[in-house]
Amino acid sequence: MTKTIVTIDDSPSVRQMVSATLTRAGYRVIEAADGEDALAKLQGERPNAILTDQNMPKMDGLTFIRTYRARPEALGVPIVFISTETRDDLKQQAKAAGAMGWMVKPFDQQQLLNVVKKVAG
């Protein structure tokens, strides 16, 4: 069964790199431009993992995580926070909101695959 990964980032080039890398590895990828877009695209979906950026125009990553985690279908869905920021307070906020991991941009394709395989299988 194909595993589904949601990638949320306002940068089209980052979404394209993540999507191409994961699709080549056999994953189905749903792309979203921000938290609002992701919440709409997650209606009726139960992804195997979500990768979300922090800084996005309409809804940032922390707000997305908190909003998504309030939904019953979010239970057990791993969320990895992706950011250029490395602040400890932001990491703690992401963890408290329900993120299970953190990945710092820029990252390479192998790092991405390693993280996704670890959280989604």
Side-chain angles (χ1 to χ4, degrees):
M1 182 173 183
T2 303
K3 295 187 176 182
T4 301
I5 310 298
V6 176
T7 180
I8 310 166
D9 200 304
D10 60 327
S11 166
S13 62
V14 171
R15 287 196 316 269
Q16 185 178 30
M17 185 278 279
V18 170
S19 182
T21 301
L22 296 178
T23 300
R24 277 195 302 272
Y27 294 97
R28 173 179 171 247
V29 177
I30 298 172
E31 296 182 35
D34 58 52
E36 283 185 7
D37 188 27
L39 290 171
K41 291 180 176 176
L42 282 164
Q43 293 289 339
E45 293 280 348
R46 176 143 172 89
N48 298 91
I50 297 173
L51 311 172
T52 184
D53 185 21
Q54 165 56 10
N55 298 315
M56 297 178 284
K58 291 182 183 174
M59 179 185 286
D60 66 28
L62 280 176
T63 304
F64 163 76
I65 294 170
R66 291 179 183 126
T67 305
Y68 182 65
R69 286 291 187 216
R71 295 179 174 182
E73 66 269 20
L75 186 66
V77 176
I79 299 175
V80 176
F81 204 78
I82 299 174
S83 180
T84 56
E85 299 185 44
T86 58
R87 297 183 352 237
D88 285 341
D89 65 316
L90 186 58
K91 289 181 181 178
Q92 290 172 356
Q93 290 178 53
K95 185 176 179 181
M100 70 174 295
W102 186 281
M103 199 159 68
V104 176
K105 290 182 191 175
F107 51 84
D108 65 31
Q109 294 174 335
Q110 192 57 53
Q111 287 175 303
L112 173 64
L113 287 172
N114 289 345
V115 167
V116 169
K117 285 179 184 174
K118 184 174 181 178
V119 300

